[in-house]
Amino acid sequence: MTVMSVPRFERFFRVAAGLDVDKNDLKRYSDFVDAKVYDLLLIAEAVAKANNRDVIVPWDLPITKGLQENIHRFRDLDHEIELKPILDQLVRHPPLDRAPDDATEARLPEIVGGLSLALAKAFKIIYPDLKNPQTKHWETVWPLFNLLL
């Protein structure tokens, strides 16, 4: 993550959930994004394979109603913060048997934005008075996403 993008991420978490994140949180966040993008694409790959397609298309991604709502909220919030261009560079995934097509790749930054918003909100649901997430908070919140994604 570039130094110039750190203030935008800090602002995003502050606006999204009143959280003050530090560099350790941003590393954990980056790991979270990598893991969840991989999880989403792994399922999408299975859907593409089941449908005899060589590529992953957007509707192969397992986007739930809640995640879709957070993607829409992220779009609204992003007009103010302009985080999507940074997410374009941050989103990466390992090689898969079925590669995402261009439309799917184009959707990934907003999906990550929706996941990011859900992550910030999850901290506040579990720890309503939380201001600065610590390792123990991440160790509680992240497994919840593993249950659902």
Side-chain angles (χ1 to χ4, degrees):
M1 188 174 311
T2 65
V3 175
M4 291 177 55
S5 62
V6 170
R8 285 193 203 176
F9 278 100
E10 291 172 340
R11 185 164 181 236
F12 170 77
F13 281 99
R14 203 169 28 258
V15 170
L19 297 172
D20 293 322
V21 297
D22 58 29
K23 289 182 183 179
N24 291 329
D25 293 315
L26 295 179
K27 169 64 173 125
R28 290 183 198 108
Y29 168 77
S30 180
D31 292 345
F32 172 84
V33 166
D34 288 347
K36 293 302 111 195
V37 167
Y38 177 74
D39 291 347
L40 290 170
L41 287 172
L42 195 62
I43 298 303
E45 181 179 48
V47 172
K49 186 176 183 178
N51 287 298
N52 294 316
R53 279 195 310 284
D54 292 333
V55 296
I56 297 170
V57 294
W59 54 85
D60 292 334
L61 294 164
I63 305 298
T64 63
K65 176 184 174 280
L67 179 53
Q68 186 64 47
E69 289 171 354
N70 279 298
I71 292 168
H72 291 299
R73 288 186 192 115
F74 171 76
R75 287 178 188 148
D76 294 338
L77 185 64
D78 195 46
H79 290 297
E80 177 184 338
I81 298 173
E82 297 180 357
L83 194 59
K84 187 178 175 296
I86 297 166
L87 293 178
D88 284 335
Q89 297 171 4
L90 180 67
V91 173
R92 59 187 187 272
H93 54 80
L96 302 163
D97 290 337
R98 308 268 191 295
D101 69 1
D102 291 343
T104 305
E105 290 279 359
R107 284 210 62 206
L108 290 177
E110 284 188 339
I111 292 169
V112 168
L115 283 169
S116 303
L117 190 56
L119 175 68
K121 290 178 180 183
F123 279 115
K124 291 308 258 193
I125 289 169
I126 297 168
Y127 305 104
D129 298 326
L130 183 65
K131 295 294 180 202
N132 187 341
Q134 302 298 312
T135 301
K136 67 179 182 177
H137 303 118
W138 282 90
E139 289 173 349
T140 300
V141 172
W142 192 330
L144 293 176
F145 281 83
N146 290 340
L147 285 173
L148 301 171
L149 296 176

